[in-house]
Amino acid sequence: MTDEMPVSPLAGIKLDGMADVFKTNAASLSVVPDYSSCYLDMRSTWHQLVVIGNGFDLACDLNSSFSSFFEPRFEKMRDIEAADMPDGGNVVSRLREAGLTVWDIILFDRSGDDWCDVEGAIAKWMRPSNPARFIDLLDSIFELVFSGKKWQRSLLRRDSVERHVVRYIVEGGFGLEGDYSRDKLNVLLLEELHRLENAFDVYLRKQVEMTPRYPECARELLRDIIMRDMPNEEDYQTELSVLSFNYTGPKEMQLCDVDDTVSYVNIHGRLDEGIIIGIDGKGLMTNANVLPFTKTYRLMAKGGPRYN
């Protein structure tokens, strides 16, 4: 029996270059794969809601108040009322040619009230009243007037706003004669409100053009409001919404960086896209005469608030 050396399992295998292979594999194992994209974001969510109103635009030196809008319109009304009509023209036709509406007349005569509160004026005139006042009272008078019957003029004071409204509608040639109804009166009043809205839209766009610093000032002010109490993004997933009761928006502010991650909502419409002046519909949504003048109804008719 002879002593034989055990045969190595590596016998016959060429080991040249194996060291380099082991080094290469070891180096690749030292690189840790990046699995960060697979991790769950454990940060809390923070939703920053910013609500702005007319004080925002006023702070940026924009003459956006209803009082600034109505003052020159009232001046036109005074001039027309005081002027002689040598060519046979009537006051109502002159008022309409000047772009004025029945709502200008109503607001012009609201002594003792907040005369530039358009929404308050609409609500006051359109809400049902007992005894009948404002539109409810004029509805009864128009039924007599447009059917050729006499009405008791003592129902209205000589210089009352109701009497001025009666004159405007009777002399205005709005086609209510002969087939008058409350529905037709409501349509007329709503059309007059649309004319007022369009006039305010034109006015406010002009004010933006005349206030060159408005876009920069509005951007800076909005950014300052947004950043107040905004948490660190390392700790929170942040979302941002801006709810604006103004008619100005990203276009007027030149907010090019507003993207889909920021929800900017103009609750009452936006300039050049249809603005809404209406009343609170609480408790009035079942009243067919008042419903078309409510903000809720008007917003839904337009397809809802304007986003981004």
Side-chain angles (χ1 to χ4, degrees), residues 47-67:
H47 192 162
Q48 186 88 332
L49 174 62
V50 176
V51 181
I52 58 176
N54 194 39
F56 179 92
D57 280 348
L58 291 174
C60 297
D61 297 325
L62 188 68
N63 290 328
S64 56
S65 66
F66 279 131
S67 58

Side-chain angles (χ1 to χ4, degrees), residues 28 35-36 43 45 50 88 94 106 120 125-126 150 173 184 194 208 241 251 257-258 271 283 306:
S28 65
Y35 295 110
S36 60
R43 296 176 299 169
T45 299
V50 176
R94 293 292 179 88
I106 289 170
W125 271 71
M126 297 307 302
K150 294 183 179 181
K184 288 186 175 181
H194 292 331
V208 172
S241 296
K251 176 183 175 182
D257 55 344
V258 172
L271 290 182
R306 181 68 172 85

Side-chain angles (χ1 to χ4, degrees), residues 85-145:
M85 300 293 169
D87 56 356
N90 62 47
V91 171
V92 176
S93 63
R94 293 292 179 88
L95 291 173
R96 290 184 60 78
E97 287 170 5
L100 301 172
T101 73
V102 70
W103 295 106
D104 291 285
I105 296 172
I106 289 170
L107 287 161
F108 181 74
D109 284 301
R110 291 187 70 210
S111 58
D113 290 336
D114 184 3
W115 59 266
C116 59
D117 180 6
V118 182
E119 296 173 358
I122 298 171
K124 181 176 178 178
W125 271 71
M126 297 307 302
R127 283 184 185 135
S129 58
N130 189 17
R133 297 184 63 199
F134 305 112
I135 291 302
D136 285 346
L137 175 58
L138 298 194
D139 178 39
S140 301
I141 292 173
F142 289 140
E143 284 185 359
L144 298 173
V145 171

Side-chain angles (χ1 to χ4, degrees), residues 242-246 263-270 273-276 295-308:
V242 178
L243 180 62
S244 175
F245 287 86
N246 298 333
S263 177
Y264 195 110
V265 183
N266 285 85
I267 194 68
H268 294 150
R270 191 173 288 177
E273 298 178 16
I275 67 173
I276 292 174
K295 293 176 183 176
T296 303
Y297 179 90
R298 304 272 319 276
L299 281 170
M300 294 303 100
K302 286 180 174 290
R306 181 68 172 85
Y307 292 82
N308 276 13

Side-chain angles (χ1 to χ4, degrees), residues 1-261:
M1 184 174 181
T2 59
D3 294 331
E4 295 181 357
M5 296 292 293
V7 179
S8 169
L10 297 178
I13 298 178
K14 295 181 179 180
L15 299 178
D16 296 343
M18 288 299 290
D20 294 333
V21 173
F22 286 129
K23 288 179 181 178
T24 301
N25 290 340
S28 65
L29 290 173
S30 66
V31 178
V32 179
D34 183 5
Y35 295 110
S36 60
S37 62
C38 302
Y39 295 158
L40 292 175
D41 193 335
M42 302 301 292
R43 296 176 299 169
S44 298
T45 299
W46 181 284
H47 192 162
Q48 186 88 332
L49 174 62
V50 176
V51 181
I52 58 176
N54 194 39
F56 179 92
D57 280 348
L58 291 174
C60 297
D61 297 325
L62 188 68
N63 290 328
S64 56
S65 66
F66 279 131
S67 58
S68 298
F69 167 66
F70 277 109
E71 284 170 359
R73 295 174 71 84
F74 290 166
E75 191 61 36
K76 284 183 184 179
M77 192 176 300
R78 293 187 190 96
D79 293 341
I80 292 171
E81 293 281 357
D84 293 328
M85 300 293 169
D87 56 356
N90 62 47
V91 171
V92 176
S93 63
R94 293 292 179 88
L95 291 173
R96 290 184 60 78
E97 287 170 5
L100 301 172
T101 73
V102 70
W103 295 106
D104 291 285
I105 296 172
I106 289 170
L107 287 161
F108 181 74
D109 284 301
R110 291 187 70 210
S111 58
D113 290 336
D114 184 3
W115 59 266
C116 59
D117 180 6
V118 182
E119 296 173 358
I122 298 171
K124 181 176 178 178
W125 271 71
M126 297 307 302
R127 283 184 185 135
S129 58
N130 189 17
R133 297 184 63 199
F134 305 112
I135 291 302
D136 285 346
L137 175 58
L138 298 194
D139 178 39
S140 301
I141 292 173
F142 289 140
E143 284 185 359
L144 298 173
V145 171
F146 290 121
S147 62
K149 299 177 181 178
K150 294 183 179 181
W151 61 283
Q152 192 173 357
R153 296 184 179 274
S154 61
L155 288 172
L156 304 178
R157 290 183 294 104
R158 181 177 297 276
D159 293 325
S160 67
V161 60
E162 290 92 341
R163 182 165 287 206
H164 289 297
V165 171
V166 167
R167 182 187 68 173
Y168 180 88
I169 292 178
V170 171
E171 296 180 6
F174 296 108
L176 299 180
E177 301 86 351
D179 190 24
Y180 172 80
S181 69
R182 175 62 183 268
D183 287 343
K184 288 186 175 181
L185 177 60
N186 290 339
V187 169
L188 171 59
L189 293 173
L190 194 56
E191 288 174 350
E192 290 285 288
L193 183 58
H194 292 331
R195 291 181 61 227
L196 185 67
E197 290 169 338
N198 291 336
F200 188 69
D201 188 302
V202 171
Y203 164 82
L204 197 51
R205 281 189 281 126
K206 185 66 174 178
Q207 292 302 311
V208 172
E209 292 175 5
M210 294 172 58
T211 314
R213 282 204 69 253
Y214 173 75
E216 179 183 356
C217 182
R219 288 196 305 271
E220 291 178 356
L221 180 56
L222 182 60
R223 189 173 294 110
D224 180 60
I225 295 173
I226 289 172
M227 295 311 297
R228 293 175 189 173
D229 302 320
M230 179 71 84
N232 192 319
E233 290 190 3
E234 293 181 0
D235 301 321
Y236 290 88
Q237 300 179 65
T238 58
E239 299 176 0
L240 174 64
S241 296
V242 178
L243 180 62
S244 175
F245 287 86
N246 298 333
Y247 302 120
T248 50
K251 176 183 175 182
E252 289 71 37
M253 296 182 192
Q254 300 177 11
L255 285 175
C256 301
D257 55 344
V258 172
D259 54 30
D260 293 338
T261 63

